[in-house]
Amino acid sequence: MKLFIYHTPELTPSDRAPECAIAVDVLRATSTMATVLAAGGEAIQVFSDLDQLIEVSEKWSQDKRLRAGERGGGKVPGFELGNSPLDCTSELVDGRRLFISTTNGTRTLQRIQGAKTVLTGAFVNRKAVVEYLLSHRPETVWIVGSGWEGSYSLEDTACAGAIAYSVSKLGNIPPEEIAGNDEVISAIALYSQWQDNLLGLLHHASHGQRLLRLDCHEDLKYCSQTDILDVLPMQQEPGVLKKG
């Protein structure tokens, strides 16, 4: 098993696909996706285009759908939800499909949807991701950070490092043996430095600061927690994720 970390979807190779690809958008799309499925959501369907999201979701009855839209950290007007995992209570999402479009995370999922297996990871469900990798041992794994509008994102790289760190430690595999590129070693080092203060790391991150300006303090606290959800969002068909 070789892990490759890419800081943004734009940095992934365009001429091949891995056996397994993991989208990471800690703040907040993949944290929200894990939360929705853990709370009983039927599925998550992702879109980069808001008009397409509305068109497809119109085919579902109102009591079986939820629309979540986020641009620039804020909720899209007219949608039931933005991109806060704290709003995704079991009372609201149970049995419903979440139709979601976010600034960064949904773009990442669309970039990697051709992989044999597509998962989403965040700090909150890191353990479930690692357990899948260690039990299935895919030959090539891309861990793809969503970044922010095409640029590097501190929290996504730290989460990718958290996944790689646990695969190495729990699988008793030296980091240099699983590292497919240098980004793996640097991401493990980043996570190792901050693993006891992930909330502090989120406060340092530019997107964390952006969310703090929007008064999303509790979102940062929630998204900084590790291994609190035993759920693995897995692509069942292009753009549709269910419990793996």
Side-chain angles (χ1 to χ4, degrees):
M1 179 168 53
K2 286 289 186 182
L3 308 184
F4 298 80
I5 290 175
Y6 298 100
H7 299 312
T8 68
E10 292 80 9
L11 292 172
T12 58
S14 58
D15 60 345
R16 60 188 181 277
E19 187 174 346
C20 176
I22 304 163
V24 175
D25 187 2
V26 171
L27 296 174
R28 293 165 288 173
T30 57
S31 299
T32 296
M33 291 172 186
T35 302
V36 167
L37 293 181
E42 179 266 335
I44 297 155
Q45 194 160 347
V46 301
F47 299 83
S48 57
D49 182 77
L50 291 171
D51 291 334
Q52 186 186 20
L53 184 157
I54 292 171
E55 179 184 349
V56 173
S57 64
E58 281 291 333
K59 299 171 184 175
W60 290 65
S61 62
Q62 288 191 0
D63 64 336
K64 292 296 182 182
R65 74 173 188 227
L66 283 170
R67 292 168 174 164
E70 172 267 323
R71 289 295 183 269
K75 183 168 81 75
V76 173
F79 282 46
E80 291 96 342
L81 296 168
N83 192 21
S84 173
L86 298 180
D87 293 336
C88 301
T89 62
S90 58
E91 291 81 7
L92 181 64
V93 307
D94 187 42
R96 291 173 138 182
R97 176 168 294 210
L98 185 75
F99 296 86
I100 185 170
S101 179
T102 71
T103 304
N104 304 294
T106 50
R107 190 181 76 253
T108 303
L109 277 163
Q110 290 193 325
R111 171 66 190 88
I112 63 175
Q113 67 182 16
K116 181 179 177 182
T117 300
V118 176
L119 312 172
T120 70
F123 287 121
V124 292
N125 73 323
R126 187 265 311 258
K127 182 180 177 183
V129 172
V130 171
E131 287 176 347
Y132 176 89
L133 294 178
L134 289 175
S135 62
H136 290 79
R137 304 272 174 160
E139 187 176 344
T140 53
V141 180
W142 292 0
I143 309 175
V144 185
S146 297
W148 176 260
E149 296 182 346
S151 62
Y152 175 93
S153 177
L154 187 67
E155 69 277 3
D156 290 347
T157 298
C159 183
I163 294 169
Y165 172 89
S166 284
V167 169
S168 172
K169 187 174 182 181
L170 297 177
N172 197 27
I173 314 167
E176 62 271 16
E177 287 188 17
I178 60 169
N181 59 5
D182 284 352
E183 286 87 338
V184 174
I185 302 300
S186 63
I188 290 174
L190 176 66
Y191 170 71
S192 298
Q193 181 179 348
W194 286 94
Q195 61 180 312
D196 296 324
N197 185 20
L198 292 175
L199 180 58
L201 179 138
L202 299 192
H203 277 254
H204 281 290
S206 59
H207 191 38
Q209 294 175 21
R210 191 177 294 109
L211 290 173
L212 289 171
R213 291 193 291 272
L214 294 170
D215 294 324
C216 296
H217 300 77
E218 295 303 315
D219 277 11
L220 264 65
K221 288 182 182 178
Y222 179 85
C223 294
S224 69
Q225 298 176 95
T226 306
D227 305 336
I228 62 169
L229 300 177
D230 185 20
V231 64
L232 185 65
M234 180 180 292
Q235 180 174 269
Q236 303 297 316
E237 59 184 90
V240 177
L241 299 148
K242 295 188 177 185
K243 276 187 180 180

